[in-house]
Amino acid sequence: MHGFVKKGLLLSLAAGSMMVSGAGVAAAADSAGTEGVAADSPGLAAGNVAQGAADVPVQVCGDAGGAATALQDALDNRCTTWDNHASIRGAAADDPGAVSGDVVGGALDAPVQGCGLTGAAAGVQTEAEGNSCDDVHTSATAVGATADDPGAVSGDVVQASVNAPIQACGDAFVVGAFDTGADDNHCVNR
């Protein structure tokens, strides 16, 4: 084999191993928010505030799957979602009239993680071990206020906030396989 071919193969192997070594780590941080105000809007169905905010980051890291496989593992992978927040803030004031000056909204924060999962059909020794999925400081908030909104069905506040982390971590799904396991995997919401 020529010298430049050997060097090219070694360089390719080195680059590939560097890419694979960091493949099991993922992190995300973001937020979604809305603010709305209605004021001095008299009349039928006037001066209302309707809002929605959703933050749904999805992470899939360190997973493996195959058919007729051997030694297929998902080991020591970590997914972390940091400081995800969904929020709404609404206010209505001085909106006289029927169905006026209402504040309606919803905030949803639902980080989704799939980390260290392995699946096999007709496999041998499929492991999911040492994987960690963490949701740190995730939340959803809703704040609303109304003032001086006289009238039928007026000056109402209806809001909901939902923080629902969804995690699947360190699981082994197999069909017709043996010597499989899922050990020392962690899912944390704080």
Side-chain angles (χ1 to χ4, degrees):
M1 195 181 299
H2 293 289
F4 68 89
V5 173
K6 286 181 184 177
K7 289 178 185 175
L9 286 174
L10 289 174
L11 182 60
S12 296
L13 286 172
S17 65
M18 284 189 290
M19 288 173 46
V20 170
S21 67
V25 178
D30 59 5
S31 61
T34 63
E35 290 190 25
V37 175
D40 300 318
S41 304
L44 177 63
N48 295 309
V49 177
Q51 300 173 309
D55 186 21
V56 186
V58 177
Q59 291 183 334
V60 178
C61 73
D63 300 327
T69 61
L71 303 173
Q72 180 167 308
D73 299 327
L75 306 173
D76 300 319
N77 298 290
R78 183 178 184 114
C79 288
T80 303
T81 302
W82 294 93
D83 296 326
N84 280 10
H85 185 74
S87 66
I88 59 171
R89 181 180 304 255
D94 300 318
D95 301 311
V99 193
S100 297
D102 298 314
V103 176
V104 178
L108 169 68
D109 181 58
V112 178
Q113 295 176 328
C115 130
L117 305 175
T118 182
V124 176
Q125 195 172 355
T126 300
E127 303 270 339
E129 185 175 326
N131 299 290
S132 178
C133 290
D134 298 314
D135 285 320
V136 181
H137 301 134
T138 62
S139 63
T141 58
V143 177
T146 64
D148 300 322
D149 298 314
V153 193
S154 295
D156 300 315
V157 176
V158 179
Q159 294 187 313
S161 62
V162 178
N163 184 37
I166 300 165
Q167 296 175 321
C169 99
D171 296 319
F173 305 97
V174 296
V175 174
F178 62 94
D179 195 16
T180 63
D183 300 315
D184 196 30
N185 298 291
H186 306 277
C187 288
V188 178
N189 294 301
R190 353 178 203 155

